[in-house]
Amino acid sequence: MRRSLWLVFVSLAMATACAKPTPERRVIDDAAAALGGRSRIQAVKTLVIEGEGTNGNLGQDMTPEATGQGFTVTGYKLSIDVPGGRSRIEQTRTPNFTYFQGQAAQKQTLGIDRDVGYNVAPNGTATRLSVPATKDRRAATYHHPLMIVRAALDPQAKLANARNFGNQRTVDVTTADGLTFTLAVDSTTGLPTSIVSMADNTNLGDVAQETSFEQYQDVNGIKLPSRLTTKIDNYQTSQLRVTKQAIDGDAGDLAAPAAAASAAATPGPPPATVTAEPIGRGAWLLGGQSHHSVLVEYSDHLLLIEAPQNDTRSLAVIAKARELVPGKPLTMVVNTHHHFDHSGGIRAAVSEGLTVVTQKANVAFFQQAIGRAHTIVPDALAKNPKPLKLEAVDEEMVLKDKTMTVNLYHIAGSPHADTLLMAYLPRDRVLVEVDVFSPGAAVHPYAANLLENIKKRSLRVDRIVPLHGTSVAFDALMKTQPTN
Ligand SMILES: [Zn+2]
Ligand SMILES: [Zn+2]
C-alpha cells in the first residue's frame, strides 16, 4: 500500500515536471508571479481603489474630431467583491465645458451585482441596465490586472494566441463566463501593461476598448497600477490617478439596489413609440419618448428631420412617416448635428435609401461612420448595405418646391456644437431645433446664441418645435433671457 502510493506520487511529480507549459500559460504564470504570486492573487477578497482623474465626452464634443471637452472626476471609489462578482464605482463629475445640465458637479454610481448591472442617478433613482449594457459592464470589471490574471488562472478559462510585439507579450483570455480579452504584459517585468476587449458602439460599430496600466505600487504584497487610462479606439474616455488602494479592506454593501434587482433586464433599447402631431400644413412632429423628428411633405416626396438614437427608434420613425403619407417616397433625412444620440439612426436611414443632409463639418464623420464594421452587433446597414448619398450645408440651404419650403441654417457660434442646423418653415413660421433650447429645462446655456442666430437671419418665428419636449410659442425662448 505504502509502496503503490509512493509510485503514484513519483509519477505525478514526473508528469508535472515534464509537462511543458504552453506559451499562453507562461504569459499568465509570469504575470501572476510579477503581481505577487498565484495563491496571493487567488486569496484576494476585496479591492478598493480611490482616486481622481478625467472622463472624456465621446460623441458629444463641438465637432466629430474634437477632444477638448471632458469632466473632472473627483471622489472616485471603485469597490470590488472579487469572488462575489460584485463591484461599484462612485464618482463626482464636473464638466469643463458648457454643459446642457449646467456646470454643477454631479454624482454618478455605476454598479454590477452578478447579472444585475445598474446605475443610480444623482436623485437616488436606480435603474437596471439592458442585457448588452450589463455584458459591457461585466467586461469592464476585468479591465484590471488583478481581475484578468485571476480570471485567466481559473481552470475554466481558455488561453490562445500567444505572440510578441516589441517588448510586449500578449495572450487572448476567454473567461469562464465567456468574455474574451487580449492581455499584454511587459516582457521584462511580466507586469500587465494593457487589456483590450472588443465592444459594439451604436454609432461606431466594432470598437476596441483598451485600458492601460502604469506606475505599479506594492499594496499588501500585490502589485497594483496607480495610473489607469481607458480608450475607445484612439479616443481617451477616462484617466484615473489612484490616491489610495487597499486589498481586503471594507468594500461596503455591494448588493444591487432593490429597485434595479427587481426590474427586468431588457434585451436592448426599449421598443419605440412614435406619435404624430401636425405642426403646420404638411408638417408633423414625430414624438414619443425622448428624441423626436419632424416629417415634411413636398409635392412628390417626403423629408425627415432627424434620425436619432439607434436603429430601433429611427426605423420606427421612418415607418411612421411612410404610414402618415403613404403615397409619397421618403427620400431625405436632415441631421441636426453629429452628437451620437442625434446621429445614431443615420446608418438606418442610409439602409432605407435616404439621402443625408448635414452641416459640412460632419461630412468626413458620416463617410467614416457608414464604412465602419458592425460585426459584433450587425445593424440595419450591415444587413442591408447601401452607399452613402450626402448633401452638405455650409451656412444655409433651401429645400423648396411649389408646395413646401424648408430653410436650413447653420447655428453659428453655438457653445453646444459647431455642426448644428436648425430648420425654418417660413409658411407657418415654425422653427425646428434641438438641444439649443429645450423648454422646461432647468438651465438654457445655449438659448442666447440661438436667439442671436434667429435675429441675424431676420426670421419671423411664431412657434418653436424642439426635438426634445413639446412645442412652444416663440415667447418661451425670449423669456429665457434676462430683461433689461
Ligand atoms: Zn447635442
Ligand atoms: Zn439632445
Side-chain angles (χ1 to χ4, degrees), residues 338-389:
H338 71 282
H339 285 173
F340 278 10
D341 56 322
H342 290 280
S343 61
I346 286 295
R347 284 177 52 94
V350 172
S351 81
E352 291 292 313
L354 277 61
T355 296
V356 178
V357 181
T358 190
Q359 214 278 329
K360 69 170 185 181
N362 297 323
V363 170
F365 166 64
F366 281 127
Q367 284 167 340
Q368 285 164 18
I370 295 310
R372 286 188 65 111
H374 284 242
T375 63
I376 296 170
V377 179
D379 64 358
L381 188 62
K383 292 175 192 162
N384 183 23
K386 292 260 171 64
L388 174 64
K389 293 176 284 181

Side-chain angles (χ1 to χ4, degrees), residues 297-313:
E297 180 181 2
Y298 288 84
S299 64
D300 64 352
H301 70 280
L302 304 174
L303 167 84
L304 185 67
I305 302 174
E306 207 76 315
Q309 292 190 300
N310 48 42
D311 281 13
T312 302
R313 178 79 203 168

Side-chain angles (χ1 to χ4, degrees), residues 291 341-342 434-435 468:
H291 287 62
D341 56 322
H342 290 280
V434 78
D435 285 354
H468 293 301

Side-chain angles (χ1 to χ4, degrees), residues 58 132-133 135-136 139 197-209 232 269 310-311 347 372-379 382:
L58 176 64
K135 190 180 171 198
D136 289 347
S197 52
M198 297 303 294
D200 174 65
N201 177 286
T202 301
N203 295 67
L204 302 175
D206 304 352
V207 292
Q209 194 117 31
I232 289 181
N310 48 42
D311 281 13
R347 284 177 52 94
R372 286 188 65 111
H374 284 242
T375 63
I376 296 170
V377 179
D379 64 358

Side-chain angles (χ1 to χ4, degrees), residues 57 69-72 92-107 415-416 442-446:
N57 199 24
Q69 292 185 352
F71 299 83
T72 299
T92 298
R93 308 201 317 167
T94 308
N96 73 0
F97 59 100
T98 307
Y99 194 44
F100 76 100
Q101 292 179 326
Q103 304 312 114
Q106 286 202 333
K107 192 173 174 199
H416 184 69
V443 291
H444 300 284
Y446 320 115

